[in-house]
Amino acid sequence: MTSGVTVFGLCAAAAVGLGLNGLMTSPQPLRKIIAFNLLGSGVFLLFGIVGRRGAAAGFGNDPVPQALVITGVVVAFSATALAIALLLRLLKTSGSTTLDDPAPTSPHSDPSGD
Amino acid sequence: MLPPAPALATTAGGFLLVLSIVAPVAGILLAFVLGDRHVRQVAFTVIPIGLAIAAAILLAPPESDGPLVYLLGAWPPPLGVALRADGLSTVMLATTAVVICAVAVFAVTDFRPAAADARAPFAFWILLLAIWAALNTIFVGGDLFTLYVALELLTFAAVPLVCLEGRAETLRAALRYLLFALLGSVLYLLGTALLYGLYGTLDIVLLSRRVTAVPGALIAAALMTTGLLAKTALFPLHLWLPPAHAGAPAAASAILSGLVVKGSFFILLRLWFNVMPGLPGFAVTQLLAALGAGAIVVGSIVALRQERLKLLIAYSTLAQIGYLFLMFPLAVDASGKLDSGGALAGGLLQAVSHATAKAAMFLAVGSIYAGLGHDRITGLRGVARALPLSVLAFALGGIALMGIQPSGASLAKELLLEETARTGQWWWAVVLQAGGMFTTGYVVLVLAHALMPSDQPVVLTGPTPLSRDLPALALALCSLLFGLMPWERYLPVPYGAALKLFGIDGLVKLLLPVLGGAALAILLSPGPLPVISSASWNTLRSVVGLCRRCSVEVGRRVERGDEVLRQWPVACISLLLVALLLAASMFASN
């Protein structure tokens, strides 16, 4: 029981770490968006563990964190949708998805975005 | 001993808090039902209603009767969600309503439905209402998770405002803004999860009674603070702010610069002053204010080097955000707790003054841009004659921001200076004065260019309706007269603080920033100075020339450094460093 919670806790930590690393190091916006989702998943997993340990009144399976996770998932989903929409619009307008402001004469094209 | 428990029940008038959120949201839904053609009518129906609600909350029984509370569904926390409005929320709600109202009037002509680009007007009015709803939720939200959702809604509404015009560089700015803001909000959510795991509640009042200095709580506080700093764009986490605020249309910039950054700042105040006033301690507050001081210096120096007026104002926002963080070390009382006293009042007053003054300045620049067809600072000659009202609004907004009596900023500065004297932290008094001088520097620089007579008449490229200039003027006047408002009712301002502004030493307080600012503008601005050449100037020039060359070189270095800091990987590393430093200093003082 305790060991299960620990394993999931370590998984959450790993997901947060990988997500942070991806957000920081990958130059492609699409990868950044995926990394954000990974990071978010780690946090949601942490909420699950918090509920499993019974944070509120000491009883197991506290339902409140589950409600929070569902809300969080909706928020993360909308964020991803908005980011993807912006990315597609950027690709359509400028023909590239790089986030660094390029010199106007050298279109550094990277259409696939990943 | 714990303070007496605030009533955990709905108070009379609590429904006003629900209405303040419901009204803009209802407007959005209605606009989608009625479609493109009626979106502006819907907005102009909702805005007076929202203004009336904010006024009603403002006139509700004063703070001494306790905050307004509404329990959603009559479920008490920790299971239910409470909405609360204390003095801080009330002031912010009212300011937001006023700024939104002015911006809406400004935008009447620019965002006519069925203009050439049909999507932008519809999006603008919807997003304006969405930002209003999100901000009101932030101001009255009573638990940390509600604040998280509201913060995300605010970001989702603010990001599309950046790229309303759909140009590639604004899209890029919007995407950078969104990604960095998401990183910030996920850190905030991580902290929330930790706090819930420790204490089993996220309600602000309940948490404030349970929080103890355990390692988990300190880490949570560091993560949440870092996340909020990234969203507030405190130096060195400001990579998204200048391009986003400078690239948006004028009305959108006014909202983004005046109001949106205040949303995450307000949550930071809630977190520190309401949830965990005992945790931060001396070292963290010094660190935060040091970042603020960095923001003032870098933001102002880079602002003085800008060629475009909008970028200058965007960097000025960066500096002013730093100014807001100077209140934290001044609020620490003898026992190391954050005290909701004069420093908090000063900080919030500064936020409110900046919201109105900066919105006014962006609106004024918007009408100058529309009139001239460009916003190059060196090309502003003669504009004061061609567009007198716009330049007047810009000047009044700038004067209010400098802290000239009787503006809100001057009262805020007075309160903060008193706190520096009381707590003996003279170094923050120096930073406060320097901040005022820097602000004066870039305002004077712009005004000097704008007030110069032009050799040939200025050709106006667009119409300049009064509906653009009047709201800017109204906001600027608002900010300028804020020092005279009866703040005692809402904020812990000592009675008669405003009277101290007009003593004989008020003249010194007036002249010091003006003279210092003029000197800074001459020394740090690289462009040609708008001075009529005369014999006396020429002799002075040789003396000043050397100093000026050196300081311009320093300015160039600072601008380079700013460019480096605004690269994505560097900003991410700064983010991690800030989080580590915050956590380390919290562990050190607890």
PDB file of all heavy atoms in Angstrom, chain B residues 463-491:
ATOM      1  N   PRO B 463      -8.133  59.825 -38.896  1.00  0.00           N
ATOM      2  CA  PRO B 463      -9.025  60.673 -38.108  1.00  0.00           C
ATOM      3  C   PRO B 463      -8.674  60.558 -36.626  1.00  0.00           C
ATOM      4  O   PRO B 463      -8.133  59.549 -36.182  1.00  0.00           O
ATOM      5  CB  PRO B 463     -10.407  60.078 -38.389  1.00  0.00           C
ATOM      6  CG  PRO B 463     -10.136  58.646 -38.717  1.00  0.00           C
ATOM      7  CD  PRO B 463      -8.782  58.606 -39.364  1.00  0.00           C
ATOM      8  N   THR B 464      -8.929  61.622 -35.877  1.00  0.00           N
ATOM      9  CA  THR B 464      -8.651  61.576 -34.439  1.00  0.00           C
ATOM     10  C   THR B 464      -9.914  61.949 -33.675  1.00  0.00           C
ATOM     11  O   THR B 464     -10.069  63.078 -33.232  1.00  0.00           O
ATOM     12  CB  THR B 464      -7.530  62.554 -34.072  1.00  0.00           C
ATOM     13  OG1 THR B 464      -7.862  63.821 -34.635  1.00  0.00           O
ATOM     14  CG2 THR B 464      -6.200  62.096 -34.592  1.00  0.00           C
ATOM     15  N   PRO B 465     -10.828  60.989 -33.549  1.00  0.00           N
ATOM     16  CA  PRO B 465     -12.090  61.291 -32.876  1.00  0.00           C
ATOM     17  C   PRO B 465     -11.880  61.545 -31.386  1.00  0.00           C
ATOM     18  O   PRO B 465     -10.932  61.030 -30.790  1.00  0.00           O
ATOM     19  CB  PRO B 465     -12.921  60.026 -33.105  1.00  0.00           C
ATOM     20  CG  PRO B 465     -11.919  58.951 -33.305  1.00  0.00           C
ATOM     21  CD  PRO B 465     -10.739  59.587 -33.961  1.00  0.00           C
ATOM     22  N   LEU B 466     -12.789  62.332 -30.802  1.00  0.00           N
ATOM     23  CA  LEU B 466     -12.707  62.619 -29.377  1.00  0.00           C
ATOM     24  C   LEU B 466     -12.895  61.364 -28.541  1.00  0.00           C
ATOM     25  O   LEU B 466     -12.403  61.286 -27.423  1.00  0.00           O
ATOM     26  CB  LEU B 466     -13.795  63.624 -29.009  1.00  0.00           C
ATOM     27  CG  LEU B 466     -13.424  65.095 -29.088  1.00  0.00           C
ATOM     28  CD1 LEU B 466     -14.601  65.930 -28.645  1.00  0.00           C
ATOM     29  CD2 LEU B 466     -12.211  65.375 -28.233  1.00  0.00           C
ATOM     30  N   SER B 467     -13.608  60.368 -29.090  1.00  0.00           N
ATOM     31  CA  SER B 467     -13.866  59.152 -28.315  1.00  0.00           C
ATOM     32  C   SER B 467     -12.573  58.413 -28.015  1.00  0.00           C
ATOM     33  O   SER B 467     -12.534  57.546 -27.159  1.00  0.00           O
ATOM     34  CB  SER B 467     -14.805  58.228 -29.083  1.00  0.00           C
ATOM     35  OG  SER B 467     -14.133  57.676 -30.191  1.00  0.00           O
ATOM     36  N   ARG B 468     -11.470  58.770 -28.704  1.00  0.00           N
ATOM     37  CA  ARG B 468     -10.179  58.155 -28.376  1.00  0.00           C
ATOM     38  C   ARG B 468      -9.481  58.926 -27.273  1.00  0.00           C
ATOM     39  O   ARG B 468      -8.876  58.339 -26.390  1.00  0.00           O
ATOM     40  CB  ARG B 468      -9.279  58.146 -29.605  1.00  0.00           C
ATOM     41  CG  ARG B 468      -9.612  57.054 -30.578  1.00  0.00           C
ATOM     42  CD  ARG B 468      -8.340  56.464 -31.157  1.00  0.00           C
ATOM     43  NE  ARG B 468      -8.652  55.639 -32.301  1.00  0.00           N
ATOM     44  CZ  ARG B 468      -8.579  56.078 -33.543  1.00  0.00           C
ATOM     45  NH1 ARG B 468      -8.198  57.308 -33.802  1.00  0.00           N
ATOM     46  NH2 ARG B 468      -8.880  55.281 -34.533  1.00  0.00           N
ATOM     47  N   ASP B 469      -9.560  60.269 -27.334  1.00  0.00           N
ATOM     48  CA  ASP B 469      -8.762  61.061 -26.399  1.00  0.00           C
ATOM     49  C   ASP B 469      -9.418  61.193 -25.029  1.00  0.00           C
ATOM     50  O   ASP B 469      -8.733  61.198 -24.018  1.00  0.00           O
ATOM     51  CB  ASP B 469      -8.517  62.456 -26.982  1.00  0.00           C
ATOM     52  CG  ASP B 469      -7.533  62.390 -28.120  1.00  0.00           C
ATOM     53  OD1 ASP B 469      -6.673  61.499 -28.078  1.00  0.00           O
ATOM     54  OD2 ASP B 469      -7.626  63.205 -29.046  1.00  0.00           O
ATOM     55  N   LEU B 470     -10.743  61.289 -25.010  1.00  0.00           N
ATOM     56  CA  LEU B 470     -11.401  61.551 -23.730  1.00  0.00           C
ATOM     57  C   LEU B 470     -11.196  60.423 -22.719  1.00  0.00           C
ATOM     58  O   LEU B 470     -10.886  60.703 -21.561  1.00  0.00           O
ATOM     59  CB  LEU B 470     -12.887  61.844 -23.952  1.00  0.00           C
ATOM     60  CG  LEU B 470     -13.144  63.208 -24.594  1.00  0.00           C
ATOM     61  CD1 LEU B 470     -14.632  63.490 -24.690  1.00  0.00           C
ATOM     62  CD2 LEU B 470     -12.438  64.317 -23.827  1.00  0.00           C
ATOM     63  N   PRO B 471     -11.361  59.133 -23.108  1.00  0.00           N
ATOM     64  CA  PRO B 471     -11.127  58.095 -22.088  1.00  0.00           C
ATOM     65  C   PRO B 471      -9.696  58.099 -21.567  1.00  0.00           C
ATOM     66  O   PRO B 471      -9.487  57.904 -20.360  1.00  0.00           O
ATOM     67  CB  PRO B 471     -11.425  56.784 -22.811  1.00  0.00           C
ATOM     68  CG  PRO B 471     -11.773  57.104 -24.183  1.00  0.00           C
ATOM     69  CD  PRO B 471     -11.850  58.566 -24.358  1.00  0.00           C
ATOM     70  N   ALA B 472      -8.730  58.357 -22.449  1.00  0.00           N
ATOM     71  CA  ALA B 472      -7.339  58.410 -21.990  1.00  0.00           C
ATOM     72  C   ALA B 472      -7.160  59.535 -20.987  1.00  0.00           C
ATOM     73  O   ALA B 472      -6.542  59.366 -19.930  1.00  0.00           O
ATOM     74  CB  ALA B 472      -6.407  58.609 -23.185  1.00  0.00           C
ATOM     75  N   LEU B 473      -7.768  60.688 -21.315  1.00  0.00           N
ATOM     76  CA  LEU B 473      -7.670  61.847 -20.432  1.00  0.00           C
ATOM     77  C   LEU B 473      -8.329  61.550 -19.085  1.00  0.00           C
ATOM     78  O   LEU B 473      -7.796  61.891 -18.016  1.00  0.00           O
ATOM     79  CB  LEU B 473      -8.358  63.028 -21.112  1.00  0.00           C
ATOM     80  CG  LEU B 473      -7.797  64.414 -20.883  1.00  0.00           C
ATOM     81  CD1 LEU B 473      -6.306  64.433 -21.112  1.00  0.00           C
ATOM     82  CD2 LEU B 473      -8.487  65.397 -21.797  1.00  0.00           C
ATOM     83  N   ALA B 474      -9.486  60.890 -19.135  1.00  0.00           N
ATOM     84  CA  ALA B 474     -10.211  60.586 -17.898  1.00  0.00           C
ATOM     85  C   ALA B 474      -9.388  59.660 -17.009  1.00  0.00           C
ATOM     86  O   ALA B 474      -9.274  59.878 -15.800  1.00  0.00           O
ATOM     87  CB  ALA B 474     -11.551  59.943 -18.231  1.00  0.00           C
ATOM     88  N   LEU B 475      -8.781  58.630 -17.610  1.00  0.00           N
ATOM     89  CA  LEU B 475      -7.976  57.698 -16.817  1.00  0.00           C
ATOM     90  C   LEU B 475      -6.778  58.409 -16.205  1.00  0.00           C
ATOM     91  O   LEU B 475      -6.443  58.194 -15.034  1.00  0.00           O
ATOM     92  CB  LEU B 475      -7.481  56.547 -17.697  1.00  0.00           C
ATOM     93  CG  LEU B 475      -8.452  55.396 -17.931  1.00  0.00           C
ATOM     94  CD1 LEU B 475      -7.806  54.347 -18.806  1.00  0.00           C
ATOM     95  CD2 LEU B 475      -8.856  54.782 -16.608  1.00  0.00           C
ATOM     96  N   ALA B 476      -6.127  59.270 -16.996  1.00  0.00           N
ATOM     97  CA  ALA B 476      -4.956  59.971 -16.486  1.00  0.00           C
ATOM     98  C   ALA B 476      -5.341  60.867 -15.310  1.00  0.00           C
ATOM     99  O   ALA B 476      -4.664  60.892 -14.283  1.00  0.00           O
ATOM    100  CB  ALA B 476      -4.321  60.798 -17.597  1.00  0.00           C
ATOM    101  N   LEU B 477      -6.475  61.578 -15.445  1.00  0.00           N
ATOM    102  CA  LEU B 477      -6.928  62.447 -14.358  1.00  0.00           C
ATOM    103  C   LEU B 477      -7.245  61.621 -13.118  1.00  0.00           C
ATOM    104  O   LEU B 477      -6.942  62.008 -11.993  1.00  0.00           O
ATOM    105  CB  LEU B 477      -8.168  63.224 -14.804  1.00  0.00           C
ATOM    106  CG  LEU B 477      -7.865  64.481 -15.604  1.00  0.00           C
ATOM    107  CD1 LEU B 477      -9.162  65.129 -16.056  1.00  0.00           C
ATOM    108  CD2 LEU B 477      -7.060  65.450 -14.751  1.00  0.00           C
ATOM    109  N   CYS B 478      -7.875  60.466 -13.351  1.00  0.00           N
ATOM    110  CA  CYS B 478      -8.200  59.545 -12.269  1.00  0.00           C
ATOM    111  C   CYS B 478      -6.935  59.233 -11.468  1.00  0.00           C
ATOM    112  O   CYS B 478      -6.900  59.367 -10.244  1.00  0.00           O
ATOM    113  CB  CYS B 478      -8.704  58.262 -12.906  1.00  0.00           C
ATOM    114  SG  CYS B 478     -10.125  57.607 -12.166  1.00  0.00           S
ATOM    115  N   SER B 479      -5.894  58.825 -12.190  1.00  0.00           N
ATOM    116  CA  SER B 479      -4.658  58.444 -11.518  1.00  0.00           C
ATOM    117  C   SER B 479      -4.041  59.642 -10.818  1.00  0.00           C
ATOM    118  O   SER B 479      -3.485  59.520  -9.732  1.00  0.00           O
ATOM    119  CB  SER B 479      -3.688  57.866 -12.545  1.00  0.00           C
ATOM    120  OG  SER B 479      -2.577  57.335 -11.902  1.00  0.00           O
ATOM    121  N   LEU B 480      -4.180  60.794 -11.446  1.00  0.00           N
ATOM    122  CA  LEU B 480      -3.559  61.997 -10.894  1.00  0.00           C
ATOM    123  C   LEU B 480      -4.241  62.440  -9.602  1.00  0.00           C
ATOM    124  O   LEU B 480      -3.622  63.029  -8.726  1.00  0.00           O
ATOM    125  CB  LEU B 480      -3.633  63.114 -11.937  1.00  0.00           C
ATOM    126  CG  LEU B 480      -2.676  64.281 -11.764  1.00  0.00           C
ATOM    127  CD1 LEU B 480      -1.260  63.794 -11.732  1.00  0.00           C
ATOM    128  CD2 LEU B 480      -2.861  65.277 -12.887  1.00  0.00           C
ATOM    129  N   LEU B 481      -5.534  62.133  -9.466  1.00  0.00           N
ATOM    130  CA  LEU B 481      -6.272  62.595  -8.287  1.00  0.00           C
ATOM    131  C   LEU B 481      -6.425  61.500  -7.236  1.00  0.00           C
ATOM    132  O   LEU B 481      -7.077  61.710  -6.213  1.00  0.00           O
ATOM    133  CB  LEU B 481      -7.653  63.109  -8.710  1.00  0.00           C
ATOM    134  CG  LEU B 481      -7.596  64.305  -9.660  1.00  0.00           C
ATOM    135  CD1 LEU B 481      -8.983  64.733 -10.076  1.00  0.00           C
ATOM    136  CD2 LEU B 481      -6.865  65.466  -8.993  1.00  0.00           C
ATOM    137  N   PHE B 482      -5.842  60.324  -7.493  1.00  0.00           N
ATOM    138  CA  PHE B 482      -6.012  59.204  -6.569  1.00  0.00           C
ATOM    139  C   PHE B 482      -5.494  59.523  -5.167  1.00  0.00           C
ATOM    140  O   PHE B 482      -5.967  58.965  -4.190  1.00  0.00           O
ATOM    141  CB  PHE B 482      -5.302  57.962  -7.092  1.00  0.00           C
ATOM    142  CG  PHE B 482      -6.206  57.016  -7.806  1.00  0.00           C
ATOM    143  CD1 PHE B 482      -5.694  56.045  -8.643  1.00  0.00           C
ATOM    144  CD2 PHE B 482      -7.575  57.086  -7.634  1.00  0.00           C
ATOM    145  CE1 PHE B 482      -6.528  55.174  -9.307  1.00  0.00           C
ATOM    146  CE2 PHE B 482      -8.415  56.221  -8.296  1.00  0.00           C
ATOM    147  CZ  PHE B 482      -7.889  55.263  -9.140  1.00  0.00           C
ATOM    148  N   GLY B 483      -4.489  60.420  -5.075  1.00  0.00           N
ATOM    149  CA  GLY B 483      -3.935  60.720  -3.769  1.00  0.00           C
ATOM    150  C   GLY B 483      -4.942  61.361  -2.829  1.00  0.00           C
ATOM    151  O   GLY B 483      -4.759  61.368  -1.618  1.00  0.00           O
ATOM    152  N   LEU B 484      -6.021  61.921  -3.401  1.00  0.00           N
ATOM    153  CA  LEU B 484      -6.984  62.655  -2.580  1.00  0.00           C
ATOM    154  C   LEU B 484      -8.186  61.813  -2.178  1.00  0.00           C
ATOM    155  O   LEU B 484      -9.083  62.290  -1.510  1.00  0.00           O
ATOM    156  CB  LEU B 484      -7.471  63.882  -3.364  1.00  0.00           C
ATOM    157  CG  LEU B 484      -6.353  64.808  -3.835  1.00  0.00           C
ATOM    158  CD1 LEU B 484      -6.916  65.947  -4.665  1.00  0.00           C
ATOM    159  CD2 LEU B 484      -5.597  65.355  -2.650  1.00  0.00           C
ATOM    160  N   MET B 485      -8.226  60.556  -2.612  1.00  0.00           N
ATOM    161  CA  MET B 485      -9.400  59.721  -2.325  1.00  0.00           C
ATOM    162  C   MET B 485      -9.393  59.294  -0.858  1.00  0.00           C
ATOM    163  O   MET B 485      -8.346  59.182  -0.232  1.00  0.00           O
ATOM    164  CB  MET B 485      -9.375  58.476  -3.189  1.00  0.00           C
ATOM    165  CG  MET B 485      -9.321  58.767  -4.643  1.00  0.00           C
ATOM    166  SD  MET B 485     -10.892  58.417  -5.378  1.00  0.00           S
ATOM    167  CE  MET B 485     -10.651  59.145  -6.972  1.00  0.00           C
ATOM    168  N   PRO B 486     -10.565  59.010  -0.301  1.00  0.00           N
ATOM    169  CA  PRO B 486     -10.630  58.532   1.096  1.00  0.00           C
ATOM    170  C   PRO B 486     -10.294  57.049   1.187  1.00  0.00           C
ATOM    171  O   PRO B 486     -11.167  56.194   1.298  1.00  0.00           O
ATOM    172  CB  PRO B 486     -12.093  58.797   1.473  1.00  0.00           C
ATOM    173  CG  PRO B 486     -12.829  58.725   0.194  1.00  0.00           C
ATOM    174  CD  PRO B 486     -11.903  59.200  -0.882  1.00  0.00           C
ATOM    175  N   TRP B 487      -9.010  56.728   1.139  1.00  0.00           N
ATOM    176  CA  TRP B 487      -8.605  55.325   1.116  1.00  0.00           C
ATOM    177  C   TRP B 487      -8.799  54.646   2.467  1.00  0.00           C
ATOM    178  O   TRP B 487      -8.822  53.424   2.540  1.00  0.00           O
ATOM    179  CB  TRP B 487      -7.136  55.205   0.712  1.00  0.00           C
ATOM    180  CG  TRP B 487      -6.874  55.654  -0.675  1.00  0.00           C
ATOM    181  CD1 TRP B 487      -6.265  56.806  -1.055  1.00  0.00           C
ATOM    182  CD2 TRP B 487      -7.237  54.980  -1.882  1.00  0.00           C
ATOM    183  NE1 TRP B 487      -6.231  56.891  -2.413  1.00  0.00           N
ATOM    184  CE2 TRP B 487      -6.813  55.796  -2.943  1.00  0.00           C
ATOM    185  CE3 TRP B 487      -7.883  53.774  -2.158  1.00  0.00           C
ATOM    186  CZ2 TRP B 487      -7.018  55.431  -4.271  1.00  0.00           C
ATOM    187  CZ3 TRP B 487      -8.077  53.410  -3.475  1.00  0.00           C
ATOM    188  CH2 TRP B 487      -7.657  54.233  -4.512  1.00  0.00           C
ATOM    189  N   GLU B 488      -8.896  55.455   3.570  1.00  0.00           N
ATOM    190  CA  GLU B 488      -8.938  54.856   4.918  1.00  0.00           C
ATOM    191  C   GLU B 488     -10.038  53.816   5.023  1.00  0.00           C
ATOM    192  O   GLU B 488      -9.948  52.868   5.794  1.00  0.00           O
ATOM    193  CB  GLU B 488      -9.185  55.935   5.980  1.00  0.00           C
ATOM    194  CG  GLU B 488      -8.145  57.020   6.039  1.00  0.00           C
ATOM    195  CD  GLU B 488      -8.427  58.119   5.039  1.00  0.00           C
ATOM    196  OE1 GLU B 488      -9.603  58.340   4.693  1.00  0.00           O
ATOM    197  OE2 GLU B 488      -7.485  58.740   4.567  1.00  0.00           O
ATOM    198  N   ARG B 489     -11.069  54.000   4.227  1.00  0.00           N
ATOM    199  CA  ARG B 489     -12.203  53.100   4.341  1.00  0.00           C
ATOM    200  C   ARG B 489     -11.852  51.697   3.856  1.00  0.00           C
ATOM    201  O   ARG B 489     -12.412  50.713   4.319  1.00  0.00           O
ATOM    202  CB  ARG B 489     -13.332  53.679   3.500  1.00  0.00           C
ATOM    203  CG  ARG B 489     -14.650  53.030   3.769  1.00  0.00           C
ATOM    204  CD  ARG B 489     -15.730  53.690   2.943  1.00  0.00           C
ATOM    205  NE  ARG B 489     -16.724  52.656   2.695  1.00  0.00           N
ATOM    206  CZ  ARG B 489     -18.013  52.876   2.691  1.00  0.00           C
ATOM    207  NH1 ARG B 489     -18.473  54.061   2.902  1.00  0.00           N
ATOM    208  NH2 ARG B 489     -18.843  51.891   2.456  1.00  0.00           N
ATOM    209  N   TYR B 490     -10.927  51.587   2.898  1.00  0.00           N
ATOM    210  CA  TYR B 490     -10.650  50.281   2.282  1.00  0.00           C
ATOM    211  C   TYR B 490      -9.262  49.746   2.598  1.00  0.00           C
ATOM    212  O   TYR B 490      -9.056  48.545   2.642  1.00  0.00           O
ATOM    213  CB  TYR B 490     -10.813  50.387   0.766  1.00  0.00           C
ATOM    214  CG  TYR B 490     -12.131  50.980   0.365  1.00  0.00           C
ATOM    215  CD1 TYR B 490     -12.222  52.288  -0.075  1.00  0.00           C
ATOM    216  CD2 TYR B 490     -13.295  50.233   0.491  1.00  0.00           C
ATOM    217  CE1 TYR B 490     -13.443  52.842  -0.405  1.00  0.00           C
ATOM    218  CE2 TYR B 490     -14.525  50.777   0.160  1.00  0.00           C
ATOM    219  CZ  TYR B 490     -14.591  52.075  -0.286  1.00  0.00           C
ATOM    220  OH  TYR B 490     -15.793  52.624  -0.595  1.00  0.00           O
ATOM    221  N   LEU B 491      -8.298  50.623   2.755  1.00  0.00           N
ATOM    222  CA  LEU B 491      -6.913  50.185   2.919  1.00  0.00           C
ATOM    223  C   LEU B 491      -6.386  50.712   4.242  1.00  0.00           C
ATOM    224  O   LEU B 491      -6.867  51.727   4.746  1.00  0.00           O
ATOM    225  CB  LEU B 491      -6.049  50.739   1.774  1.00  0.00           C
ATOM    226  CG  LEU B 491      -6.408  50.283   0.378  1.00  0.00           C
ATOM    227  CD1 LEU B 491      -5.560  51.035  -0.637  1.00  0.00           C
ATOM    228  CD2 LEU B 491      -6.204  48.805   0.225  1.00  0.00           C
TER     229      LEU B 491
END
